[in-house]
Amino acid sequence: MTDRSERGHAPAEAVIELSGVSVCYRLPKEKITSFKEFAIRTAQRRISYENFWALKDVTLSLQRSEMVGIVGANGAGKSTLLKTVARVLRPTQGRVVVRGRVAPLLELGAGFDYELTGRENIFLNGALLGLSRAEMRKRFDGIVAFAELSDFIDAPLRTYSTGMVARLGFAIATDCEPEVLIVDEVLAVGDEQFQQKCRDRMRSFRDAGATILLVSHNANQVQAQCDRAVWLEHGRVKDIGPAPVVIRRYKGFGDEAAPDDGFEGYEMPGDIDITEEADSPPPGALLLDEPFAAAPVEETSVPIAEEAAPAEPGPGASDEPFPAEPEPPVEEPPPPVRVPQTVNARDTYFGIWLWKYLQTLSTCDVPVLVFPGDSPVPGAESHLSHRQAAVLLCAALGWLPKQKDRTGEREDTFLNELARRGIGLIPGPDRTDPNEPLTRAELAVLLCRVNAWSPVAPRGRFEDVPPDSPFAGYVEVLAEREITLGTGQNQFSPDAFISWRHAAIWLEKTFGVARAVSEVTS
Amino acid sequence: MNVPTAYYDSSRRSFRVFEEFVELWRYRELLGQMIVRNVKTRYKRSVMGVAWTLLNPLLVMAVLSLVFSQLFLTLNFEHYPVYLLSGLVLWNFFSQSVMSSMNELVWGSNLIKRIYVPRTIFAVAAVGTALVNLLLTLIPLAIVMLVLGHRFSTALFFLPVAIVTASLFVLGMSLLLSTLAVFFTDVIDMFHVVLTLWMYMTPVMYPKELILNRPEPIAKWLLDLNPMYHMIEVFRAPIYLGWVSGYKTLLAAILCSVVVFVAGWVAFSLKSDQFAYRV
């Protein structure tokens, strides 16, 4: 386990890494811009400064092919964050590492000279981004075509409309193929058609391996376009995670009554009744729909029952009943659980994942991949394979494999999707069977990696997780976030295979989609 | 795209003063384009365009020659327009560079807040633009010399050395003053006034004997301590007098320019991280 996981879990090199970044503006309490005033006040020792921390202890890492949105109120530090990445501000504390060329999509006008023609501006902007004249000459036609400016390219920029200037800026910044693109609220310009073109280009750009950092006041835009979102508040990271999850919390911000109510406001296309879904399977999902559709109805009830009941010593024998840890009611008799005739997906944490799961499968038209080796239906205590884990994670994050990716085995598209995003290819090169079950430690690492949670120094809360093991830092993250409480008696059982039941609990706690288990069962 | 074309680590840095040189070299393409842009856009909307660069000093010279030749009738000045123009050209180079590099850093600061470029590029581009203008105005100067029948001496081959010396000094001053201007904007207005005073204290339009012949010793010290005096002397001698200026003047000029340049570059690059916080 140890040596194979070392390879599998080695973190991919992040394109952008911020660790403990703080930016402090030292503001004089009164603004002194005149030399005379400064001299007088210095002599009188009357200058008092106020430290304003525009960013405080921001830790963040972005992988290749990732699009991350930053949301937050005005003055939350969004633009300052971009500036530290764009190398404009050197952080007061902490460290910024950027591996690759950065192209900031400049706000309207910056970097352009309005007296020069469009043609001349293209070369000037290229040079600003660090490209030579010869390189720009090669890209010139493509830029002009994308910006739809071929008729005006030799007219001075001052004759352009705002939309034309924005188009030119976008075309140049994205044509230069930087590894990192920084977009600060500029896409609101231009007509709807061009905006769509921009979105398409950003997507293909990202798929080609670029990392995109987007700042927007428009939370919907972030949710629609980004993989992950960062919510900044007063210069600190308030929340970070998959875009839909963060945006939901961000929008609900201020609604103190139900700050963490996972379900309310989560955008689901209506109440999905899984039984009904099964009756009329979506056209793409023919192969597995039948056994699958039958599954949730029965299976969703099983884990519920088992959550409250003492867990049977299942295949992962070391797995103590995990949800029972916080309180000792493990020994209490299980409350009677009614098996509903139709299971509303919203009602069970397990059901919602299965529902999402289903949805992903049908959307992606790859229904076969799910349980080829295992039992046709996932039982709550059956093991989760690597392949299944990949599907669950991708489904949770909305990372749907693209059609064109499906070159190899159909089953491995989700695994490939994770690999494409630089999240540990499990199984690694030496583990060729994706149907092998996943251990608890492996899922812990995977969960952290998809959320880009960096490992922290283990505090030794689990006796069976040696602090020098490659997964210890990740397990600690999950423990800190109270996603896992271990298997009881300071044990984590890292090498035990994870059951569907526990995986569902972890996922639920990580992505916060479902209601608490107790609410469902009671 | 597997191999990143750039790598930035905010915590790792070589000695800033040298780092800035390296970065400037990496961005030489941009530097060239900025200079070309400045030259092009200066008279972009005027009918005659770049021709103004040539015409402007000629007209100024004509006016000043008319005025000063009346004033200094007693001095029996031979080919006064050549004397005047050779001094004026260098003085303009100086004042133009310093003023525009300050202005570009402070008012053209949009760029500095949005995208990374080596910060010295603004000052270097301003000096480069002024240098191009200087070289262009050598054309009308040559025309005037031809018209007046002034002798072209072989000492003119020394001119490049004089120009490089002056450029280093001017760049150093530009960097020093724009560093100051970022922190105190009114340095720009203040320097405008200082510049006028400075020009009248330097023998640009009048012969240096006007100062040297004064009885007070302080007049001579002021002249010796005035770096622009040495710069202009070194530049003017090959053109007007037809010989290379004496080694003392030459040494003073070179020393001045090297010291000012090093001081300006060091001050600027040490403070440049704070610019984005300030402007």
Side-chain angles (χ1 to χ4, degrees), chain A residues 298-347:
Chain A
E298 294 147 29
E299 288 301 317
T300 42
S301 61
V302 177
I304 296 165
E306 294 208 350
E307 283 318 321
E312 296 166 15
S318 54
D319 268 22
E320 271 294 301
F322 156 62
E325 285 161 30
E327 303 290 331
V330 188
E331 300 307 324
E332 282 175 24
V337 176
R338 245 177 350 102
V339 179
Q341 283 309 299
T342 57
V343 175
N344 186 324
R346 287 195 173 201
D347 281 348

